[in-house]
Amino acid sequence: MDDHKRRILLMLNVATLIIFIIWVVFILTHPLPLSGKATSAISQRCGAYALAIPEGASASSIFVDNGFAYDAVYAIDGNTETYWRGADQYPQWIAFSLGKLQCINGLEAFVNSASLPLTVDIHVSDDGDNWQTVVSGWQISQSGYVYKDFDETIGGYVRIYQTAGADPQGTFGEIKIKKADYTYFDRE
């Protein structure tokens, strides 16, 4: 084989290798959904799920008794003896910041028996202003730790929106959000 044919063959081999490398990089950075469900596409962007204490808390109202404020931060302080208690009648809410966009698919809450039964909705938001309902009409009838799973979604904030309960000042303590790291892939 002459030098000209060897150079052409070498260039074809190099071009084939480059195309293969580009294809592998594309497949690794643009995974395809495993099924036709929207959640499978989200799952490929979510890491491993775990319960975690939110970074911050706020509420629609705070009950004050003899100078002690039952602030929203007591719902995330790690102490089941402290809790948030709202001052208003229903509906009222307590919201939690996750610090950044996260994959979310559930929560754990410590509920005081005086509030039971309690009816709540769970909302998720990217920005803390525009909310999407992920759970509607959850009936909580047991005290202590309760758990609620819901369809996987993406958000930076979670709000527990209380619509009814035995105690006019609903209470929640020790909230943890079931979340995972979120990785964004631009498919366009």
Side-chain angles (χ1 to χ4, degrees):
M1 203 184 302
D2 66 13
D3 282 342
H4 180 68
K5 287 182 180 176
R6 275 189 220 139
R7 278 188 248 148
I8 290 175
L9 189 58
L10 179 63
M11 288 178 10
L12 285 174
N13 285 339
V14 169
T16 302
L17 182 61
I18 290 171
I19 290 170
F20 176 75
I21 291 170
I22 291 170
W23 178 78
V24 168
V25 168
F26 179 83
I27 292 300
L28 291 175
T29 59
H30 296 81
L32 296 174
L34 298 174
S35 73
K37 294 181 180 177
T39 57
S40 66
I42 291 175
S43 295
Q44 293 189 22
R45 299 180 285 184
C46 298
Y49 277 90
L51 286 169
I53 297 172
E55 291 189 11
S58 61
S60 57
S61 65
I62 298 168
F63 182 74
V64 178
D65 184 27
N66 293 324
F68 181 80
Y70 290 83
D71 197 278
V73 296
Y74 290 125
I76 58 172
D77 68 355
N79 181 354
T80 58
E81 298 297 315
T82 62
Y83 48 88
W84 163 74
R85 187 172 183 183
D88 296 334
Q89 299 293 321
Y90 295 110
Q92 57 190 329
W93 55 263
I94 182 167
F96 306 95
S97 169
L98 305 179
K100 62 181 180 176
L101 288 180
Q102 298 277 302
C103 299
I104 308 163
N105 73 353
L107 64 78
E108 169 190 83
F110 188 83
V111 182
N112 185 320
S113 62
S115 298
L116 300 176
L118 186 63
T119 305
V120 303
D121 297 341
I122 300 173
H123 303 149
V124 173
S125 172
D126 290 347
D127 58 12
D129 292 320
N130 301 296
W131 297 92
Q132 170 192 352
T133 301
V134 294
V135 173
S136 182
W138 178 26
Q139 301 285 320
I140 302 171
S141 58
Q142 73 177 50
S143 62
Y145 284 102
V146 295
Y147 305 88
K148 186 63 174 177
D149 290 326
F150 47 84
D151 289 340
E152 188 171 68
T153 190
I154 308 297
Y157 301 85
V158 175
R159 178 171 71 181
I160 301 173
Y161 189 83
Q162 301 180 20
T163 58
D167 182 353
Q169 294 98 13
T171 64
F172 271 104
E174 301 326 302
I175 303 294
K176 292 183 181 175
I177 307 298
K178 193 172 166 189
K179 64 181 186 145
D181 286 335
Y182 168 68
T183 304
Y184 175 73
F185 290 109
D186 186 356
R187 291 182 173 245
E188 297 188 84

